[in-house]
Amino acid sequence: MNNTAPTFARQDNLKFFRTLNSRVNNYFKENNIQKTGNWKLHLKAVILFAVFLTPYFLILTLNMPFWVMLLLSIVMGIGMAGVGMNVMHDGNHGSYSNKSWINKFMGGTIYVLAGNVYNWQVQHNVLHHTYTNIPGHDEDLDAGRIIRFTEHAEWHRFHRFQHYYSVFLYGLLTFNWALTTDFKQMRNYLKRKLSYGEPKNPKILWTTLIITKMIYVSIWIVLPMVIGITWWKVLIGFFAMHYTAGLILSIVFQLAHVVDHTTNPTPNDLGEMDNTWAIHQLYTTTNFAPKNAIVNWYTGGLNHQIEHHIFPNISHIHYGKIAKIVKETAKECNLPYYEYKTMRSAVIAHFKHLRDLGMKPELSV
């Protein structure tokens, strides 16, 4: 990971963001609504937490066949991903509520999803949102050697098959959070002195990480065993829950940035990017299934990734309304606005892109 942060252009088509920001602000002012969540988001939070936690309590209290327990574990994974995309995500962006303590509380739900607030805010809010799709700076592009997400990554022979095997690895996302990723990230981020907002005491951060991990393991693994569920059933159910959530989250994340339309721009020798930050988001981000009500509701508006990246502090429940403003403004300024009309077309585009990246570089050229 490159520690020298690139800088964005300051004079390149400033009309776009100034005009867009003014129009979006006028939309909220004219309609007398706040940019944060409302009753729709609160109701969604209740529903998704019910999907996530109700199966857990059923497993703890009822004697059921293993296949039923496994099915409920998968349902928990669906709820887990939903809570992450809708509740935790808005909370940690400060867009769930206009009250900071509510945002902090909702952002803290990441602890029941096996994650860590500090790590997530640095990795997502700072690195991903600032340096979107820039190799060496956006960690979402870093899958180690196993998957090649950009043409800048080193090529290996096994990458020829990555469009087949990658989907099986995607399911390990949150499972890795629970076991190793948070510890590696915290060590790395503290070493680089990264933070979101005011820097925090490393001792407090490490203590919080260790305690929350112990509580997490106690709730999801130890407690079910204590009440009498066979250990292997608990571990398989735990893995099934995480694999389901990880698969959903990974695919949603990849459809927004790792497709053939989006670019992976790099800074010049002076560390400067060609575009301003807002315009950079248009070139590196794409929407998918913008008219699909189910996808809109469940993904927390992450299918409106362009709107989210330009306005991360606006709650996702408003993205469908402001998308028209963003699209029209981009068109007026002769800038791209990438979108796939359906979820299916975006999925096909992603794995086709992985196939192309998996080809030996000289052959792909």
Side-chain angles (χ1 to χ4, degrees):
M1 187 62 65
N2 192 337
N3 290 330
T4 304
T7 56
F8 291 92
R10 296 181 181 275
Q11 301 301 323
D12 181 15
N13 203 345
L14 286 176
K15 174 189 174 184
F16 168 68
F17 187 64
R18 286 176 178 171
T19 303
L20 176 61
N21 197 44
S22 175
R23 290 175 177 177
V24 169
N25 286 335
N26 286 338
Y27 163 78
F28 285 99
K29 184 177 180 180
E30 291 170 1
N31 290 279
N32 194 29
I33 54 178
Q34 295 184 334
K35 295 180 180 180
T36 51
N38 53 28
W39 67 269
K40 294 179 181 179
L41 180 54
H42 306 329
L43 176 60
K44 187 191 291 192
V46 172
I47 294 172
L48 290 171
F49 266 111
V51 175
F52 179 34
L53 297 177
T54 301
Y56 173 73
F57 291 113
L58 291 176
I59 290 172
L60 290 183
T61 56
L62 300 178
N63 186 15
M64 60 183 66
F66 176 64
W67 69 269
V68 176
M69 189 182 95
L70 189 60
L71 182 61
L72 289 176
S73 298
I74 294 173
V75 173
M76 281 194 290
I78 295 172
M80 178 181 174
V83 170
M85 292 185 290
N86 291 272
V87 182
M88 181 277 290
H89 189 250
D90 271 29
N92 277 315
H93 273 297
S95 62
Y96 186 96
S97 170
N98 58 6
K99 295 181 173 59
S100 60
W101 71 268
I102 295 180
N103 286 320
K104 187 174 182 179
F105 179 81
M106 292 305 181
T109 58
I110 193 172
Y111 292 119
V112 297
L113 308 178
N116 176 269
V117 169
Y118 166 75
N119 287 336
W120 194 90
Q121 288 181 336
V122 171
Q123 186 271 327
H124 186 79
N125 291 8
V126 177
L127 299 179
H128 175 62
H129 271 269
T130 305
Y131 310 112
T132 311
N133 267 30
I134 301 178
H137 296 277
D138 183 355
E139 289 190 354
D140 282 8
L141 298 177
D142 183 12
R145 290 158 48 95
I146 195 66
I147 302 178
R148 188 172 187 252
F149 280 140
T150 79
E151 61 184 10
H152 303 282
E154 183 180 0
W155 181 84
H156 297 280
R157 292 175 63 87
F158 53 79
H159 287 145
R160 292 176 298 172
F161 308 104
Q162 67 175 11
H163 55 297
Y164 295 119
Y165 65 71
S166 57
V167 68
F168 298 103
L169 299 177
Y170 285 170
L172 300 176
L173 175 68
T174 62
F175 188 71
N176 287 335
W177 279 3
L179 297 181
T180 61
T181 302
D182 275 328
F183 295 96
K184 293 178 180 178
Q185 284 186 331
M186 184 164 289
R187 183 178 67 246
N188 179 36
Y189 295 160
L190 289 176
K191 183 179 180 180
R192 295 168 60 189
K193 297 181 180 180
L194 297 175
S195 64
Y196 178 70
E198 290 294 324
K200 298 175 177 62
N201 188 315
K203 291 183 179 179
I204 294 177
L205 290 173
W206 277 113
T207 301
T208 301
L209 176 63
I210 294 171
I211 292 176
T212 53
K213 290 295 182 184
M214 292 174 63
I215 294 174
Y216 184 82
V217 171
S218 299
I219 292 174
W220 294 99
I221 296 179
V222 176
L223 181 58
M225 291 183 185
V226 169
I227 66 171
I229 302 177
T230 308
W231 66 270
W232 61 267
K233 292 182 179 179
V234 173
L235 295 182
I236 292 177
F238 180 77
F239 181 79
M241 175 184 74
H242 272 284
Y243 194 86
T244 302
L247 184 61
I248 294 170
L249 293 172
S250 292
I251 290 179
V252 169
F253 293 163
Q254 304 308 338
L255 299 188
H257 300 290
V258 187
V259 289
D260 53 0
H261 288 315
T262 56
T263 61
N264 298 111
T266 56
N268 60 25
D269 293 339
L270 298 177
E272 300 167 337
M273 303 299 297
D274 290 337
N275 293 310
T276 59
W277 174 83
I279 293 175
H280 174 86
Q281 303 306 317
L282 294 176
Y283 281 100
T284 57
T285 310
T286 185
N287 290 354
F288 59 93
K291 302 298 183 181
N292 188 314
I294 296 176
V295 172
N296 270 318
W297 189 90
Y298 179 66
T299 64
L302 293 182
N303 59 322
H304 282 284
Q305 195 76 190
I306 295 173
E307 288 69 38
H308 173 59
H309 267 258
I310 297 178
F311 298 105
N313 295 325
I314 294 179
S315 175
H316 73 266
I317 62 171
H318 303 296
Y319 291 160
K321 297 294 184 180
I322 68 173
K324 182 179 180 181
I325 301 174
V326 178
K327 189 173 185 178
E328 290 178 349
T329 308
K331 183 178 180 180
E332 289 175 12
C333 296
N334 295 315
L335 293 169
Y337 184 92
Y338 302 132
E339 63 179 344
Y340 292 94
K341 300 300 183 183
T342 66
M343 181 88 172
R344 179 177 177 273
S345 61
V347 170
I348 292 173
H350 169 64
F351 287 102
K352 180 181 179 296
H353 189 55
L354 284 186
R355 183 195 65 189
D356 294 342
L357 290 170
M359 295 174 62
K360 195 171 184 179
E362 52 265 37
L363 295 179
S364 63
V365 173

